Amino acid sequence: MTMQKRATVVSSSVAVTLVIVKLIVGIISGSVAVLASAIDSGLDLAVSLFNYFAVSNAEKPASEKFNYGLGKVEAIAAVIEGVVITMSGLFIGYEAIKKIIHPEPITHLDASIGVMVLSIVLTGGLVAYLNHVARVTDNMVIKSDALHYKTDLLSNGAILVSLAVIYFTDFFLIDAILGIAIAIYIIYSAYELIHEGILMLLDVALDDEIVEKIVEAIKSEPKVTDFHWLKTRKAGNDYFVDVHLVFNPEMSLLEAHRIGDAVEEKIKAIDPRADWLINIHLDPYDDSDVNVEEYPQFAGNSAK
């Protein structure tokens, strides 16, 4: 089992535990914040299970039907996860507003506080683990899961604060007020997931820093006289690069090909964690002006 798959199994297991405990205590105590947290953990479980299948499919090799692999499944998963998080935030906000209109006392505060402490400990450990896996694998699904559980960690902390305030002051309205604040934060945090996923689905270029390093790798080969039509995109852990390299017309195809291979290895070394798919076109002269009217965005993309 890969590190990514193992991470989704661990997050699913934690979510199951938290759903059961929070649901029981939330129903008994009547705390909208605890019940909202239980519902959010239930959505966490659904998302983690979905992420397991997303990671499994994204790791499948390219096939005759999907020549470039299924890396974009990660982006689809991130968008879906963002939508689910947004829906949970809206529901929490609805429940909080309803409690302001129709206030009800909260009972069994000791149990409620205990379950939120347990939730914070388990979620904190899970966030640390998912962040580690995300750093090692640079997997978008795991990054999304880590951000998701980070919002849970912060919202659980807010819930614990509200329960503590109620325990010492009997100010029950704080439960609903913090519920609304949690809902706003959850919806806000979901935007980043949806935005990043949509950009990947639209074939956004690689980060400017990576593109600059690609240009440096090309320029480091003295026998490459120029380059143009540099295009990049990302699908999951697959980084795609297309570029035209210009050589002296007298250079043999064998030597030009050897230099192209050297450039390719330098580009791959930029991020060894990524699976690079590099397509280098060898030109005996600069033909960057050909069809420039059709692709004006690449007209100035050269070493000149």
Side-chain angles (χ1 to χ4, degrees):
M1 182 181 291
T2 63
M3 182 178 289
Q4 297 94 308
K5 285 185 180 179
R6 190 180 302 111
T8 60
V9 171
V10 171
S11 61
S12 298
S13 302
V14 171
V16 168
T17 303
L18 293 178
V19 166
I20 295 173
V21 177
K22 289 180 183 178
L23 195 58
I24 293 173
V25 175
I27 292 173
I28 294 174
S29 67
S31 169
V32 65
V34 175
L35 280 174
S37 186
I39 293 170
D40 190 42
S41 293
L43 291 171
D44 292 344
L45 174 59
V47 169
S48 293
L49 291 173
F50 175 78
N51 285 345
Y52 175 83
F53 292 105
V55 169
S56 298
N57 281 283
E59 291 177 349
K60 290 181 178 178
S63 63
E64 185 176 346
K65 186 173 184 179
F66 299 100
N67 297 169
Y68 294 97
L70 294 170
K72 286 190 178 180
V73 170
E74 290 185 18
I76 296 173
V79 172
I80 292 175
E81 186 166 351
V83 171
V84 169
I85 295 172
T86 301
M87 293 173 62
S88 68
L90 292 172
F91 180 78
I92 291 171
Y94 166 77
E95 288 294 321
I97 293 172
K98 189 169 71 173
K99 185 130 189 183
I100 291 176
I101 298 173
H102 304 289
E104 296 178 3
I106 298 175
T107 60
H108 299 82
L109 282 173
D110 292 337
S112 298
I113 291 173
V115 73
M116 294 317 300
V117 170
L118 174 64
S119 177
I120 288 173
V121 171
L122 290 178
T123 306
L126 179 60
V127 168
Y129 172 67
L130 290 176
N131 279 331
H132 168 70
V133 175
R135 283 193 300 270
V136 172
T137 64
D138 196 32
N139 185 281
M140 189 176 184
V141 174
I142 305 303
K143 286 181 180 179
S144 301
D145 224 17
L147 179 59
H148 188 178
Y149 281 101
K150 183 180 178 181
T151 64
D152 288 351
L153 181 62
L154 295 176
S155 64
N156 289 338
I159 293 170
L160 182 60
V161 170
S162 71
L163 293 174
V165 170
I166 294 171
Y167 185 83
F168 290 107
T169 67
D170 289 334
F171 181 53
F172 292 98
L173 192 61
I174 190 68
D175 183 50
I177 294 173
L178 283 179
I180 293 175
I182 291 168
I184 294 172
Y185 178 78
I186 287 175
I187 293 171
Y188 174 78
S189 67
Y191 169 77
E192 183 178 346
L193 298 181
I194 297 173
H195 182 254
E196 187 177 354
I198 289 176
L199 286 179
M200 183 184 290
L201 291 173
L202 294 176
D203 288 334
V204 67
L206 296 177
D207 293 342
D208 291 342
E209 182 181 353
I210 296 178
V211 174
E212 289 175 5
K213 290 181 179 179
I214 292 173
V215 172
E216 290 175 4
I218 295 172
K219 289 183 176 180
S220 67
E221 284 294 333
K223 292 187 178 181
V224 175
T225 61
D226 199 0
F227 75 93
H228 50 268
W229 303 100
L230 173 61
K231 295 181 286 184
T232 64
R233 67 183 178 91
K234 179 180 179 181
N237 200 44
D238 295 331
Y239 287 13
F240 296 84
V241 178
D242 290 275
V243 65
H244 288 210
L245 302 183
V246 182
F247 298 90
N248 188 305
E250 271 82 54
M251 180 180 292
S252 69
L253 177 60
L254 178 62
E255 185 178 2
H257 191 277
R258 179 185 59 78
I259 296 171
D261 287 343
V263 170
E264 186 172 332
E265 291 304 315
K266 289 181 179 180
I267 294 175
K268 289 180 178 179
I270 294 172
D271 187 351
R273 299 173 302 173
D275 294 323
W276 293 86
L277 288 89
I278 304 170
N279 180 30
I280 295 178
H281 183 82
L282 310 177
D283 280 339
Y285 59 90
D286 186 352
D287 62 352
S288 58
D289 292 334
V290 178
N291 295 326
V292 72
E293 293 183 0
E294 185 176 356
Y295 302 101
Q297 67 271 34
F298 300 113
N301 193 344
S302 73
K304 293 179 178 178

